[in-house]
Amino acid sequence: MLKPYRMIRNTLESEEEKRLPRDFGLLCWNVHKQNLGDTFDRFLGELMERYAIDLVAFQEVKIYSGRGSVLDSFHFSLAPNIRFLNHVYGVLNGSRMKEIETFPLLSSHREAMIRTRKSAIFSIYPMDNGEPLLVVNLHAINFRENTVYNKELDAVFERIRHYFGAMIVTGDFNSWNKKRIGFVMKMAGALELQAVEIEQAHLIKSFMSCKLDHIFYRGLKLIESRAVDVGKLSDHNALYARFRSL
């Protein structure tokens, strides 16, 4: 019932090889398994147009083979952590152009009580300058002790420790205490990643005054960012950032 499924892909037919534009928009959002309704599709479509989104990094995505969505207009890959009945859940990277490569990572530890694992996904995209961009999207383990949290986060960062190009690391880090925040910042610092300073930061999902969702980057110029109020569509608001290739 809770066994994860193989990685799910949506690849669009295209006669031309597209690259990210020099200025591109990223939307990071824990959609709280609420992404299959018409209201969600309309809202996401509006966000895509308003902020000119080229990349999405979603957590807690719910996929059902019998229903399409606004995401069908994107190339996307989903790294599952749960399969239940006809639905698959996980983290999703999507883009307006085909990625060069994508691979998933499943946590070695399970959540307490519910016994589910967490997943991360790593995707490489072509930028306008011919260089690759690595986008890492993770949903960190939550209901475990900090030592397990650190081990699982370190496993994610270990996969990218020897990657030297432009990079974005984003997602729901479940960084709900100061020790977790400290470890996240330590790992980011080791890779020379900068934290995106989000405008409207009070909208970012927090617990005990610790923010759960983050965007880190390197090898890019940050142009603008903001947290986007999504109302009742999710228990997390979305994070938007616009970058420029160097």
Side-chain angles (χ1 to χ4, degrees), residues 60-191:
E60 290 197 42
V61 174
K62 183 178 182 180
I63 294 292
Y64 174 58
S65 59
R67 189 192 189 284
S69 75
V70 68
L71 287 173
D72 291 342
S73 63
F74 267 47
H75 299 272
F76 70 74
S77 296
L78 179 133
N81 69 312
I82 300 173
R83 179 182 57 177
F84 182 71
L85 299 177
N86 294 323
H87 295 93
V88 179
Y89 305 82
V91 293
L92 178 150
N93 279 352
S95 63
R96 295 193 184 276
M97 70 296 304
K98 188 176 180 180
E99 72 271 25
I100 298 170
E101 181 182 4
T102 293
F103 61 94
L105 178 67
L106 199 62
S107 66
S108 57
H109 294 83
R110 298 175 184 267
E111 295 282 15
M113 295 182 290
I114 55 176
R115 306 299 296 160
T116 57
R117 300 182 191 272
K118 286 294 198 289
S119 56
I121 190 166
F122 307 73
S123 301
I124 298 176
Y125 300 99
M127 292 194 293
D128 75 302
N129 59 9
E131 296 297 318
L133 170 68
L134 173 62
V135 177
V136 183
N137 173 18
L138 64 95
H139 191 190
I141 203 158
N142 194 7
F143 303 110
R144 292 298 300 268
E145 57 273 25
N146 287 341
T147 53
V148 169
Y149 177 87
N150 292 355
K151 287 179 181 178
E152 293 296 344
L153 198 65
D154 187 62
V156 173
F157 277 86
E158 182 61 33
R159 297 300 191 281
I160 57 178
R161 204 176 303 276
H162 300 294
Y163 180 84
F164 299 106
M167 183 190 307
I168 296 173
V169 181
T170 189
D172 178 355
F173 285 73
N174 275 317
S175 47
W176 44 258
N177 64 38
K178 291 182 179 180
K179 288 186 177 181
R180 290 187 175 198
I181 285 284
F183 192 76
V184 169
M185 299 308 294
K186 176 183 176 182
M187 291 292 98
L191 291 176

Side-chain angles (χ1 to χ4, degrees), residues 31 34 50-51 53 80 113 131 148 159 175 206 211 246:
V31 299
Q34 301 300 311
R50 184 187 312 160
Y51 294 109
I53 299 300
M113 295 182 290
E131 296 297 318
V148 169
R159 297 300 191 281
S175 47
S206 300
K211 293 178 174 58
L246 301 180

